[in-house]
Every structure is written in structure tokens, then in C-alpha cells.
């Protein structure tokens, strides 16, 4: 089970309604990379990214987020999909 938050920049007030809640992503340092490939490889991509973070002596926070830069809307070749992986650092 996962809790998901969908985030997007806004430049106007939003009125919470139903399950929609306002939130704010606080400023922080983060490690970031771009994974290229189908979504089925994201688990391995995150694993490699976390290994790199630890090898750099960085301390990852618990949260993380993904930004889907290029996906199914760009065509059927999933090897060209791009997902930005972000991990805040303590």
C-alpha cells in the first residue's frame, strides 16, 4: 500500500475539495538522476541510485519523488521513457 501525492506548481489559490489537500514541498538538498527505460525497470533504477547516494557518503531522507519526463504519450518505445528520480538528503 502506498500513499501518493501528485505535485505541480501553481500560481493561483486552490480550494481543497474532497480528497484534495494543499501541500508544500519545503526547500531542501536533494540527489537527482534520470532513469531511461520502461517503468518495469524503475525498481532497479532506484536501487542503483540509492547505492550511488550511499557511496557518496550522503544520508537520504525517507521521502522521494519521481517526475515523468517522457512516457507513453511520447510513443510506444518504452526504452525511450525518462523518469527523474529525486531523493531528499538529511
Amino acid at each position: 500500500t502506498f500513499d501518493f501525492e501528485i505535485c505541480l506548481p501553481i500560481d493561483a489559490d486552490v480550494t481543497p475539495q474532497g480528497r484534495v489537500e494543499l501541500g508544500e514541498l519545503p526547500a531542501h538538498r536533494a540527489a537527482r538522476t534520470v532513469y531511461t527505460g520502461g517503468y518495469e525497470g524503475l525498481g532497479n533504477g532506484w536501487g542503483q541510485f540509492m547505492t550511488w547516494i550511499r557511496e557518496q557518503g550522503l544520508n537520504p531522507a525517507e521521502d522521494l519523488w519521481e517526475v515523468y519526463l517522457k512516457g507513453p504519450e511520447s510513443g510506444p518505445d518504452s526504452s525511450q521513457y525518462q523518469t527523474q528520480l529525486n531523493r531528499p538528503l538529511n
Side-chain angles (χ1 to χ4, degrees), residues 40-81:
E40 67 279 358
L42 275 171
N44 186 48
W46 272 107
Q48 291 179 21
F49 184 39
M50 290 305 301
T51 297
W52 179 87
I53 288 172
R54 289 191 180 96
E55 287 173 348
Q56 305 311 303
L58 301 171
N59 183 23
E62 288 191 28
D63 293 333
L64 57 86
W65 75 93
E66 298 174 347
V67 178
Y68 305 102
L69 303 172
K70 189 174 178 183
E73 75 288 346
S74 64
D77 184 0
S78 65
S79 70
Q80 300 303 307
Y81 295 176

Side-chain angles (χ1 to χ4, degrees), residues 33-42 44-46 81-85:
T33 193
V34 174
Y35 163 78
T36 300
Y39 297 138
E40 67 279 358
L42 275 171
N44 186 48
W46 272 107
Y81 295 176
Q82 292 186 324
T83 306
Q84 184 186 82
L85 311 180

Side-chain angles (χ1 to χ4, degrees), residues 2-4 16-22:
F2 293 94
D3 289 325
F4 286 94
Q17 184 175 339
R19 294 175 45 193
V20 173
E21 298 177 10
L22 294 178

